[in-house]
Amino acid sequence: MELGLVSARLREMTHDHSVPGAQLTVCHAGSTLSAVSGVTRVGMTDPVTAETAFAFGSVTKVFTATLVAQLVSEGDLEWDDPVDEYVAEFDGAMDEAFSSVTLRNLLSHTAGLVADHELEDFDEASLARYAAGIASTRILHEPGHCFSYSNSGYNVLGRVIEAVTGMKWQAVLENRLLRPLGIDPVFVHGPLGQRALADGHAVRPGDRRTARPVGLFLPRSWAPASGLAGSADDLVALATLHLGSHPDSGALLPAKQRTEMAARTPGADAFGMADGWGLGLAHYASPDGPWLGHDGTVDGGTAHVRWQPAGDTAVALTTNATTGTLMWSDLVGTLRELGLPVGDYHPGAPGTPALTSALEGFTGDYRNGDTAFSVRLHREDTLRLTDATGLTADLALHDDLGFTARRTDTDTAPYTGRFVTDPATGDVTLMQLGGRSARRTTTL
């Protein structure tokens, strides 16, 4: 591929998806191509450059997981260590199951922690206080039993890193990983004097005129899960570390730990998000074998990174618009047409609805932290899903306990979920939507 072609395609896609600004970096066959497009904020003339920082959102988790792997390589941590060995705030946790949560569970989203725990003080940055707050919640399922995506778990990992190193997470990340990779650190909550950070934008698909800047809603205590920013070049630098092609890969992250991070974790099937999950890394299928990486979404922006261990190839895209996710999907198709089969997640089409009786076994209330759902019989052969935000959707249940949810108030495409049963009793205990599990709290 040529830089001119990559740049032209990037400009086309930013226009098609009404994205004000974006960066694309492709590392392939020993060469790296970097392209940029657009502006950092609508109505302004400041162009996006290769140095412009974009909020990474959940891609931050890969950096936090890599720090844990470094500490494992030095013997300070073990993957299967109980977290309460390091997090004193877990002593006397409300739920006894906290004592069996391991670092491996947190890294692979199989710990059963609530997804998005928040402290009362939005500006509270203490990870110790955050861990204490988590200890007052209840585990969703037996640790290791299944996948449930959790920002909370990665904030707890940040607390583990602080407890082991005696330094703040931001300082550990800068000194042990970012600077050695040649990355100039940018944190969404400061400090002042950092590289320019692109503004996020809310965009209605297909209508560039609707793009409007939006603020970033991110509690300070969520830094280890979502608090980093940077460029597409920075994401590819991290990818080369995991590929082992960075000049300092051996010293920064030995091959043994790279392999352990990349291996699929039993129980982490990542339904609704990816084709599998390792220790901080998602698995994505492609026509040319599996890829690793992560996606991130924030208020008004997206970040995506992929790398293929077998092909020594990496791709990263950053955008400053809510339509960036659609643009990423378009980019994957474009790169595949150009001969680069980037991995991405495409959930299989649901089967024909088969369960129209005995639906009472699925009704009840389901909860993940402060997020609550209600599943009720709508008709004798239909389930209806509602929540506190006004969501109302009819569920078509399939014989594999997966379901298709179709909203009753809009014509948007349906989305999929599934129910999970207790292996011992066969009773439904969880409902999974968007990669997150909600525990069944009441039955009808």
Side-chain angles (χ1 to χ4, degrees), residues 88 105 186 191 218 235 243 251 267 283 285 302 315 335 368 380 407:
N105 295 149
V186 182
L218 183 71
L235 292 179
L243 286 169
H283 287 240
T302 66
V315 175
L335 291 178
N368 183 318
E380 290 185 359
R407 294 188 66 123

Side-chain angles (χ1 to χ4, degrees), residues 54-68 107 109 149 151 154-155 157-158 161 169-170 173 177-178 186-188 216 218 221-230 235 238 242 261 280-281 293-298 302-305:
F54 290 72
F56 285 162
S58 286
V59 178
T60 302
K61 294 179 176 68
V62 181
F63 290 84
T64 295
T66 303
L67 286 180
V68 173
L107 289 162
H109 299 285
Y149 190 83
N151 288 306
Y154 271 75
N155 297 328
L157 285 168
I161 291 168
W169 170 82
Q170 288 88 342
L173 183 63
L177 189 57
L178 299 182
V186 182
F187 299 100
V188 298
L216 181 62
L218 183 71
S221 55
W222 284 28
S226 313
L228 187 61
L235 292 179
L238 177 68
H242 283 271
M261 288 186 70
L281 304 177
H294 213 292
D295 295 324
T297 58
V298 296
T302 66
H304 309 267
V305 63

Side-chain angles (χ1 to χ4, degrees), residues 60 116 147 170 195 232 380 412 431:
T60 302
D116 303 311
F147 181 90
Q170 288 88 342
R195 292 152 53 190
E380 290 185 359
T412 57
M431 180 180 65

Side-chain angles (χ1 to χ4, degrees), residues 13-28:
M13 286 183 286
T14 54
H15 178 271
D16 292 344
H17 296 284
S18 305
V19 172
Q23 300 165 323
L24 171 63
T25 302
V26 179
C27 179
H28 179 61

Side-chain angles (χ1 to χ4, degrees), residues 291-318:
W291 288 58
L292 302 173
H294 213 292
D295 295 324
T297 58
V298 296
D299 299 293
T302 66
H304 309 267
V305 63
R306 299 284 191 275
W307 62 89
Q308 185 187 36
D312 197 26
T313 300
V315 175
L317 174 73
T318 60

Side-chain angles (χ1 to χ4, degrees), residues 69-369:
Q70 288 181 321
L71 294 170
V72 169
S73 73
E74 296 170 10
D76 295 318
L77 295 172
E78 295 289 343
W79 302 118
D80 295 305
D81 283 346
V83 176
D84 63 5
E85 289 187 6
Y86 307 99
V87 178
E89 294 79 18
F90 276 15
D91 291 342
M94 183 182 75
D95 193 329
E96 292 182 0
F98 273 97
S99 63
S100 58
V101 172
T102 66
L103 297 176
R104 186 184 301 275
N105 295 149
L106 293 180
L107 289 162
S108 61
H109 299 285
T110 59
L113 266 62
V114 296
D116 303 311
H117 181 71
E118 296 181 23
L119 299 178
E120 290 186 6
D121 184 356
F122 183 86
D123 291 323
E124 175 60 74
S126 168
L127 296 180
R129 293 191 180 92
Y130 188 88
I134 284 292
S136 67
T137 66
R138 182 178 175 184
I139 296 287
L140 298 171
H141 57 74
E142 178 185 351
H145 173 57
C146 67
F147 181 90
S148 185
Y149 190 83
S150 175
N151 288 306
S152 304
Y154 271 75
N155 297 328
V156 172
L157 285 168
R159 172 60 181 148
V160 171
I161 291 168
E162 290 188 347
V164 170
T165 63
M167 301 170 61
K168 293 295 185 183
W169 170 82
Q170 288 88 342
V172 180
L173 183 63
E174 177 176 353
N175 295 325
R176 294 181 61 108
L177 189 57
L178 299 182
R179 293 294 184 189
L181 288 175
I183 298 173
D184 187 12
V186 182
F187 299 100
V188 298
H189 289 304
L192 298 175
Q194 301 179 126
R195 292 152 53 190
L197 181 63
D199 289 289
H201 298 82
V203 180
R204 183 181 303 160
D207 189 351
R208 179 177 291 271
R209 294 170 301 176
T210 67
R212 59 180 178 81
V214 294
L216 181 62
F217 178 87
L218 183 71
R220 290 182 177 270
S221 55
W222 284 28
S226 313
L228 187 61
S231 66
D233 284 352
D234 295 338
L235 292 179
V236 165
L238 177 68
T240 62
L241 172 62
H242 283 271
L243 286 169
S245 57
H246 189 277
D248 295 326
S249 286
L252 292 175
L253 190 64
K256 179 181 179 181
Q257 281 68 46
R258 295 199 302 268
T259 299
E260 290 172 331
M261 288 186 70
R264 289 198 185 201
T265 301
D269 64 355
F271 175 84
M273 294 191 71
D275 295 292
W277 217 275
L279 301 181
L281 304 177
H283 287 240
Y284 302 96
S286 86
D288 198 30
W291 288 58
L292 302 173
H294 213 292
D295 295 324
T297 58
V298 296
D299 299 293
T302 66
H304 309 267
V305 63
R306 299 284 191 275
W307 62 89
Q308 185 187 36
D312 197 26
T313 300
V315 175
L317 174 73
T318 60
T319 80
N320 61 354
T322 50
T323 49
T325 299
L326 297 173
M327 180 175 165
W328 166 252
S329 181
D330 192 5
L331 174 65
V332 169
T334 297
L335 291 178
R336 288 184 178 185
E337 291 174 0
L338 295 174
L340 195 62
V342 179
D344 204 25
Y345 177 61
H346 298 284
T352 302
L355 297 181
T356 57
S357 60
L359 298 183
E360 295 84 357
F362 303 88
T363 60
D365 298 315
Y366 296 79
R367 179 175 289 275
N368 183 318

